[in-house]
Amino acid sequence: MKIEFLVTHSGGFHADELLSSVVLTQLFPAAKLIRTRDAEWIAPAAGRIIYDVGGRYEPENTIFDHHQRGAPVREDGRPYSSFGLIWKHYGADYLAAAGVPEAHVARVHAAFDKKFVLPVDLVDNGALDPSVAGELAGLTLPALLETLKPPFDAKGADATDQAFHSALAIARRFVEAGIAVQDAKLRAEAMVLDAIVAAGDNKVLELPMGMPFRPAIVKAKAEHLLFVVHPRDNDWCVTGIRRGDEGFELRADLPLEWAGLSGGDLERASGVAGASFCHKGRFIAAAATREAALELARIAVAAVAAE
């Protein structure tokens, strides 16, 4: 069926229909986006997708609302917004159209749903209060997108529609970037898993470049690893490995006597020529060469063993 119209509600806009529009306008670029509450437009009809309005959830009739009684929920009982419903039904097609490898589509779809879509759904339904973010509440994505609404005294009947389309371009970049992050994590995973095999029993993991490494380390159950070494633009880096997804506690810290030192001070404290910097938090250090970075890591491992 050819989609000619994408229909959502008029008036003030929120993150869920904005982000839904990102997905749908990418998949159906020739379709006209209609913002209205006209009963004739929000009734199911051939050639249109209706979302965040209409009072029904009927995928077979391409209508995706979540405001009605008996609105759809996820398997765990948490509610969908229109974004979650559109992602559920059209997200895989969107990823394929965006160039995500077929082998990655299912995992990227699930990861993006968990990390990006679900929070928008929960906030839109009042199931998650942004105030849990404390002083950052106003900087959550739903809050930032709503700041793009026109002021109350904006002149012109189409001020809100113009603001919606301007906000749509910004929302599109967030979706594209979020998906790119998830796809990149899968590409990194394969490289890290290979490096873990190559490392064997070594407690230091060497990577060919900086990349997300913790998920693959957890997946491989490589509990013996303590530090990661990899090149940067002009030097080499020694990094600790966080114990959990949240927080900053590491499996092992760099030596206390290195904390906050740089240049000659760090060289003297560590005994490693080419050591250039150690963060005061002891989670990262840098060196001029691969050899120096590996030596810093070796000393750090020995210091942990001696504790």
Side-chain angles (χ1 to χ4, degrees), residues 74 76 78-79 83-84 112-124 128:
R74 297 164 183 268
D76 61 4
R78 291 186 288 186
F83 186 31
F112 187 73
D113 182 73
K114 178 181 178 181
K115 296 289 187 179
F116 194 108
V117 181
L118 176 61
V120 174
D121 285 355
L122 296 180
V123 169
D124 190 80
L128 177 64

Side-chain angles (χ1 to χ4, degrees), residues 14-188:
H14 303 93
D16 67 327
E17 80 269 18
L18 260 177
L19 295 164
S20 298
S21 299
V22 168
V23 173
L24 294 173
T25 55
Q26 184 70 20
L27 283 176
F28 307 103
K32 184 176 182 181
L33 200 160
I34 305 292
R35 301 187 71 242
T36 182
R37 293 186 186 275
D38 188 307
E40 292 185 8
W41 272 111
I42 63 176
R48 68 177 67 165
I49 297 174
I50 303 162
Y51 54 103
D52 209 41
V53 71
R56 284 186 273 178
Y57 170 55
E58 298 174 0
E60 66 277 13
N61 292 319
T62 58
I63 180 167
F64 305 92
D65 199 9
H66 68 105
H67 296 99
Q68 66 278 12
R69 288 186 178 183
V73 296
R74 297 164 183 268
E75 291 182 358
D76 61 4
R78 291 186 288 186
Y80 283 105
S81 72
S82 65
F83 186 31
L85 295 175
I86 292 299
W87 187 251
K88 176 181 178 180
H89 290 277
Y90 294 99
D93 290 339
Y94 176 88
L95 293 173
V100 173
E102 182 179 356
H104 290 182
V105 165
R107 290 182 64 187
V108 172
H109 185 275
F112 187 73
D113 182 73
K114 178 181 178 181
K115 296 289 187 179
F116 194 108
V117 181
L118 176 61
V120 174
D121 285 355
L122 296 180
V123 169
D124 190 80
N125 282 284
L128 177 64
D129 191 335
S131 66
V132 298
E135 293 181 348
L136 291 174
L139 297 179
T140 61
L141 181 59
L144 288 173
L145 290 176
E146 288 201 32
T147 65
L148 302 175
K149 293 179 181 179
F152 75 96
D153 54 355
K155 296 181 179 179
D158 60 349
T160 300
D161 282 349
Q162 289 180 359
F164 178 91
H165 285 282
S166 295
L168 181 59
I170 295 171
R172 189 179 308 281
R173 291 297 301 125
F174 278 106
V175 172
E176 291 172 346
I179 287 169
V181 165
Q182 297 303 328
D183 190 31
K185 285 182 178 180
L186 292 185
R187 297 197 306 275

